[in-house]
Amino acid sequence: MSRPPAFNFHKTPQGWLVGIPGSVSDTGRYRRRYFKTRDEAKAECARLKEVKSGVRAKTIDIPADLAADAIKAHAALTAFNVTLGQAAAFYVANHDKRSQAPTLSEAWVTAIKHRENHRPRTLSDIKSWKKALPEWFMGMNCYDIEAKHITKALDETTKGPTRWKTGLRNISSVMGDVVKSKAIPENPAKNVQTKRAVETGEDVTIYTPEELRALFAACRNYPAGPDRLCATCDIPFAFMAFAGVRPDEVTKLKWEDVSTDLGNIRIGPGIAKKLYRRNARINETLAAWIATVPSEARSGKIVPPRWRYKAAMVRKMAGIDGQEKQDALRHSYGTYMLAKENDLDALKSDMGHSHMAVFFNHYHKALTKAQALPYWQVLPTGVELKNIKLA
């Protein structure tokens, strides 16, 4: 009985030699084959053993480098009880999905197009983040992005927790669009652990009655400068301070939206932040400021030309450094109105909020009605309202 072939290999000056017996050779004769690397020779021996055992037909010849790679792959997959065929099928399926997913930069461009009818500030914010985020991150395929990549990108881009969270919110919004398109299975931004801001114990910024008087006093015409005509800035400030209209909303608001007969301001979907209609009441203080505008002048936009520049100048002349937090006048309105009326439902309707938590975060302050009433007594020169008095 002849001995079974050993299928050994050894190094020679010509390369790694494998002797192939005629019984497993595709020619039926003994062959000598030389390989450049030890792994290639080892893979060939493994193939020959499979041919001998009947697992592989001897007429099928796999390139040595492919066989060597297959051996490595098989060894790596053994611990997972996965075959090479299963691994290959999984890769093909996932590679196909990945090829359908956009890069984050491409997804960002699509997201901007989908939001062209959003508020200018919202649109500007998402555009600015496209430029602010690192190039390596924006160039990633959305299918490959994980929570760790988002965290790293935000850490490189931001310094404080507030901007960090703003960036995360924008990334989540864009990635959410990609999920909706079914290009990726889930939004990786949802797995990011947000950074918690340090508790300062400070409330949102609101104006004191004295600061509000100074603001209105600064609404006057100045002797020089391209934005010197600031006398008409008092009306937009009045709508923000005494009706809670947002800064962006007041720039879109027109006199046609104001009904003194019905006593309300119609803030439609094209004006409101949340894109749904609300009616804000016109209280006595706001009505007094509206009355300073002649009826024939109540047409077109509420704000004067170059409003943002003029508003900045008024704040500067009033001694307000411009560092107050966003929506300070709106927060002032909510705070002082809640203290004056103590009617949460009416205030929610005026301001367009749907969640109770917003009021306790922004407007629920320990102010008495007596402390709040001076705010509502900030009136045009020479005007006095008997209905606004201390309790």
Side-chain angles (χ1 to χ4, degrees):
M1 182 175 181
S2 62
R3 295 191 309 171
F7 302 120
N8 293 325
F9 55 92
H10 61 275
K11 192 173 184 180
T12 71
Q14 291 79 26
W16 290 87
L17 172 62
V18 176
I20 305 176
S23 61
V24 292
S25 172
D26 54 351
T27 63
R29 298 180 180 181
Y30 178 82
R31 294 180 58 193
R32 292 173 177 266
R33 293 193 63 188
Y34 296 91
F35 298 88
K36 293 181 179 180
T37 67
R38 182 179 184 277
D39 286 340
E40 290 176 353
K42 182 179 178 181
E44 176 64 6
C45 289
R47 185 187 73 83
L48 295 173
K49 288 179 181 178
E50 291 182 352
V51 171
K52 183 65 177 178
S53 63
V55 175
R56 184 193 300 272
K58 64 181 179 179
T59 55
I60 300 175
D61 194 12
I62 298 177
D65 56 343
L66 178 60
D69 194 44
I71 289 174
K72 291 180 181 178
H74 177 71
L77 293 169
T78 300
F80 302 97
N81 196 29
V82 175
T83 67
L84 277 173
Q86 291 172 329
F90 177 82
Y91 177 83
V92 170
N94 282 273
H95 185 272
D96 185 54
K97 292 178 181 178
R98 184 182 184 278
S99 66
Q100 297 175 14
T103 64
L104 183 57
S105 180
E106 292 169 341
W108 216 282
V109 171
T110 302
I112 291 173
K113 289 180 180 178
H114 288 168
R115 290 162 176 76
E116 288 180 347
N117 63 339
H118 281 46
R119 291 192 310 157
R121 177 173 292 179
T122 302
L123 191 58
S124 175
D125 189 44
I126 195 170
K127 286 180 179 178
S128 67
W129 275 102
K130 183 179 184 299
K131 297 178 181 178
L133 290 166
E135 289 185 10
W136 66 264
F137 182 57
M138 296 301 293
M140 287 188 68
N141 187 297
C142 289
Y143 198 85
D144 299 330
I145 294 177
E146 300 177 14
K148 63 182 180 182
H149 301 125
I150 297 174
T151 300
K152 184 175 184 293
L154 290 172
D155 286 344
E156 290 181 8
T157 307
T158 63
K159 293 183 180 179
T162 300
R163 182 162 173 77
W164 200 95
K165 290 180 180 179
T166 301
L168 177 61
R169 185 168 61 249
N170 279 278
I171 294 171
S172 180
S173 179
V174 173
M175 295 297 288
D177 286 359
V178 184
V179 174
K180 291 176 183 177
S181 72
K182 299 183 179 180
I184 59 175
E186 64 177 358
N187 190 338
K190 292 183 177 180
N191 298 323
V192 176
Q193 186 172 358
T194 58
K195 292 192 174 183
R196 185 176 180 179
V198 178
E199 294 288 344
T200 61
E202 297 179 356
D203 292 315
V204 294
T205 299
I206 63 172
Y207 281 69
T208 65
E210 292 74 19
E211 288 172 333
L212 193 61
R213 289 192 186 93
L215 183 70
F216 281 106
C219 294
R220 61 181 187 272
N221 293 335
Y222 294 92
D227 302 307
R228 64 186 183 279
L229 303 179
C230 299
T232 55
C233 290
D234 54 358
I235 298 303
F237 280 126
F239 275 90
M240 290 189 284
F242 303 123
V245 179
R246 294 181 176 91
D248 278 352
E249 292 173 344
V250 81
T251 63
K252 304 173 188 175
L253 195 65
K254 296 180 179 179
W255 279 108
E256 290 77 7
D257 300 314
V258 181
S259 175
T260 53
D261 293 335
L262 297 176
N264 64 28
I265 307 163
R266 297 183 299 275
I267 302 176
I271 299 174
K273 174 183 178 182
K274 299 297 184 181
L275 301 181
Y276 58 78
R277 186 182 302 278
R278 77 176 191 272
N279 291 324
R281 293 172 296 164
I282 298 176
N283 53 59
E284 301 95 326
T285 303
L286 179 57
W289 283 99
I290 292 174
T292 64
V293 181
S295 298
E296 61 273 15
R298 298 178 193 175
S299 64
K301 287 191 172 184
I302 298 291
V303 298
R306 294 178 60 82
W307 156 248
R308 297 191 187 278
Y309 300 99
K310 291 179 179 179
M313 183 173 181
V314 169
R315 289 190 177 95
K316 180 180 178 181
M317 299 307 293
I320 300 169
D321 60 9
Q323 297 302 315
E324 73 271 20
K325 295 180 181 178
Q326 175 69 22
D327 293 346
L329 285 173
R330 178 174 164 83
H331 295 159
S332 300
Y333 167 77
T335 298
Y336 287 106
M337 180 57 82
L338 185 60
K340 176 175 176 285
E341 292 187 343
N342 195 29
D343 189 339
L344 211 52
D345 290 331
L347 187 59
K348 285 171 64 179
S349 178
D350 285 339
M351 304 188 74
H353 285 311
S354 57
H355 301 292
M356 190 70 70
V358 174
F359 289 89
F360 286 95
N361 289 339
H362 294 312
Y363 316 126
H364 190 70
K365 293 176 178 289
L367 290 180
T368 65
K369 185 176 181 180
Q371 291 173 322
L373 288 179
Y375 181 89
W376 302 103
Q377 293 170 328
V378 179
L379 297 161
T381 303
V383 177
E384 182 178 348
L385 297 178
K386 296 181 179 179
N387 291 335
I388 302 178
K389 57 185 178 179
L390 296 180

